[in-house]
Amino acid sequence: MNTNLLDFTGKRILVTGAASGIGKATALLLSQLGADLILADLNMEGLKAIRPNIRNTDYLMQVDLSDTAQLTAKVESAVKEVGPIGGMALVAGMLYAVPLKFVKEETWEKIEKVNHL
């Protein structure tokens, strides 16, 4: 029995926000720890750019995390193609730097959906 809690060998992990920032760093670390990854982000070019640095990437998923129906369909498609997901690192975030009184309701709802997935 493996008692190393940092050994992700054989675990398929979904990482959101994987094209940049903390999501990218998380994907790189999980790769070094042996995980097989499904990388998700709205920025497909960013995902393609980090793919060569990832040990084992099963799947790249361009997805708008604020669109629940799209997210559900993309995750179901990924599972059908590469198999079950053993864990998730939900690291995506959306920054909108304006005074709160100027944020429209639909923008606030989108920020909330992405940041509270």
Side-chain angles (χ1 to χ4, degrees):
M1 183 165 119
N2 186 355
T3 58
N4 182 355
L5 298 177
L6 294 178
D7 182 3
F8 284 82
T9 303
K11 303 291 183 193
R12 184 171 293 108
I13 308 294
L14 168 66
V15 181
T16 64
S20 63
I22 296 170
K24 179 179 176 179
T26 301
L28 292 169
L29 177 61
L30 286 168
S31 175
Q32 290 172 355
L33 296 173
D36 300 330
L37 300 176
I38 296 173
L39 303 179
D41 203 294
L42 192 56
N43 177 1
M44 181 56 87
E45 293 305 312
L47 291 177
K48 289 177 182 176
I50 70 161
R51 190 175 200 168
N53 300 315
I54 303 292
R55 183 190 63 79
N56 191 4
T57 304
D58 287 333
Y59 199 84
L60 299 181
M61 181 189 317
Q62 183 176 25
V63 62
D64 179 350
L65 297 173
S66 70
D67 184 337
T68 306
Q70 182 187 77
L71 176 60
T72 300
K74 296 268 183 154
V75 170
E76 287 174 353
S77 178
V79 169
K80 284 179 185 173
E81 188 168 326
V82 298
I85 296 171
M88 296 182 288
L90 306 175
V91 192
M94 182 178 172
L95 178 63
Y96 194 73
V98 298
L100 188 57
K101 67 182 180 179
F102 296 114
V103 178
K104 295 178 182 173
E105 186 174 344
E106 59 270 10
T107 302
W108 180 253
E109 289 173 0
K110 185 171 185 163
I111 292 168
E112 191 174 57
K113 284 180 181 177
V114 171
N115 293 344
H116 292 101
L117 178 66

